Amino acid sequence: MSAANLKPLLILQTGHAPGPIQDVHGNFPQMFLRQGDINPQQLQIIDLQAGERPLPPENYCGAIITGSRSMVTEHLDWSEAAADWVRLAMLQELPLFGTCYGHQLMAYAMGGEVDYLAQGIEVGTLDIELTPSGHLDPLVSHLPARFAANLIHLQAVITPPACATVLARSSVDPHQILRYGPNAISTQFHPEFSGSVMKTYLEWLDAQAFEDNVNYAEKLQQLSDTPLAQGLLLSFVAALGKRNALAG
């Protein structure tokens, strides 16, 4: 099978970055393209909020589900339709990688509980710690016991679905990485966020005057690139490319 006939990678876009972030860094799909070293010629982007809908899962080699400023608990029509698509993709064992909203959507679709973090927003470059299961996972086990990741979220997976394995946690969120069988994984943190993206986000959040008691000046001093977190995305995309080539 020629490269032109390979199945595309799907990006399910569940939202849009704020204007000031887009002006500097592009929208969420562009962040995944950069940080995941994704070939744009083998990619389909579906903007769910714009009313676009993906083809059935068998038309893709895999899917990445982005973050969003919407909330899973709003049960928006496009989100519920995406949850149905995720259930079907899981049944077909399509490789999936969900991030932030995508992480929560996957958990919700499979019977987990999503809600607001009791402690409020978790934001900044923070430490993630592997669980015992994480040390055994084929994708995650190459990471050190603790590594840095970039986060920004108000909601989280409060109760993982019974079919999920917890691979990592943070100090306030015990479900930072979830595994669903051999082909599907999700992260609450953002492997697609570089330190530069996170800096722009923190400056934007600080200017919003949110009443969240976060010291954004201190967060800005602590931020960094997170190459180990990014490595998870790179490894997923690379494995997908090999699988797609073999399938051809």
Side-chain angles (χ1 to χ4, degrees):
M1 183 181 292
S2 69
N5 293 323
L6 293 176
K7 291 181 179 181
L9 169 64
L10 171 67
I11 291 184
L12 274 182
Q13 185 178 348
T14 64
H16 299 269
I21 284 80
Q22 287 194 52
D23 291 344
V24 180
H25 305 287
N27 214 337
F28 295 138
Q30 286 69 48
M31 296 177 195
F32 277 102
L33 279 164
R34 284 195 303 270
Q35 294 291 94
D37 194 22
I38 295 169
N39 179 1
Q41 302 302 315
Q42 297 293 329
L43 180 68
Q44 182 179 6
I45 299 170
I46 294 295
D47 184 347
L48 294 171
Q49 289 193 0
E52 299 175 1
R53 296 294 179 263
L55 296 170
E58 61 266 24
N59 290 278
Y60 304 102
C61 68
I64 291 170
I65 310 172
T66 75
S68 177
R69 284 190 284 170
S70 297
M71 300 294 174
V72 169
T73 55
E74 294 176 297
H75 301 291
L76 299 169
D77 288 346
W78 61 261
S79 185
E80 293 297 304
D84 289 340
W85 189 93
V86 166
R87 292 183 195 103
L88 184 57
M90 290 279 195
L91 284 173
Q92 297 182 14
E93 297 188 340
L94 183 74
L96 298 176
F97 192 107
T99 294
C100 198
Y101 191 98
H103 167 77
Q104 297 163 23
L105 181 70
M106 287 168 64
Y108 163 74
M110 301 308 291
E113 178 190 3
V114 174
D115 210 337
Y116 286 92
L117 281 168
Q119 300 90 339
I121 191 171
E122 183 178 36
V123 62
T125 303
L126 302 170
D127 283 340
I128 304 297
E129 180 182 5
L130 296 187
T131 65
S133 294
H135 286 289
L136 301 175
D137 186 82
L139 187 66
V140 173
S141 59
H142 72 281
L143 292 169
R146 297 177 71 88
F147 63 95
N150 285 316
L151 296 103
I152 172 171
H153 66 119
L154 286 162
Q155 291 199 336
V157 177
I158 304 303
T159 306
C163 62
T165 302
V166 181
L167 304 182
R169 57 185 167 245
S170 67
S171 62
V172 301
D173 182 351
H175 310 126
Q176 281 285 336
I177 306 179
L178 296 178
R179 161 72 72 182
Y180 301 84
N183 295 325
I185 195 165
S186 64
T187 68
Q188 180 56 67
F189 57 84
H190 287 275
E192 79 281 15
F193 280 11
S194 65
S196 178
V197 169
M198 201 67 214
K199 179 177 184 293
T200 309
Y201 253 108
L202 289 172
E203 291 171 344
W204 176 76
L205 284 169
D206 194 21
Q208 305 309 300
F210 287 159
E211 296 180 4
D212 51 24
N213 298 317
V214 174
N215 185 336
Y216 285 104
E218 181 180 345
K219 294 286 185 183
L220 281 162
Q221 293 300 314
Q222 297 169 350
L223 69 82
S224 69
D225 285 327
T226 56
L228 294 174
Q230 179 192 5
L232 285 179
L233 176 61
L234 287 166
S235 295
F236 175 83
V237 172
L240 207 57
K242 292 178 182 177
R243 175 186 173 123
N244 202 16
L246 288 173

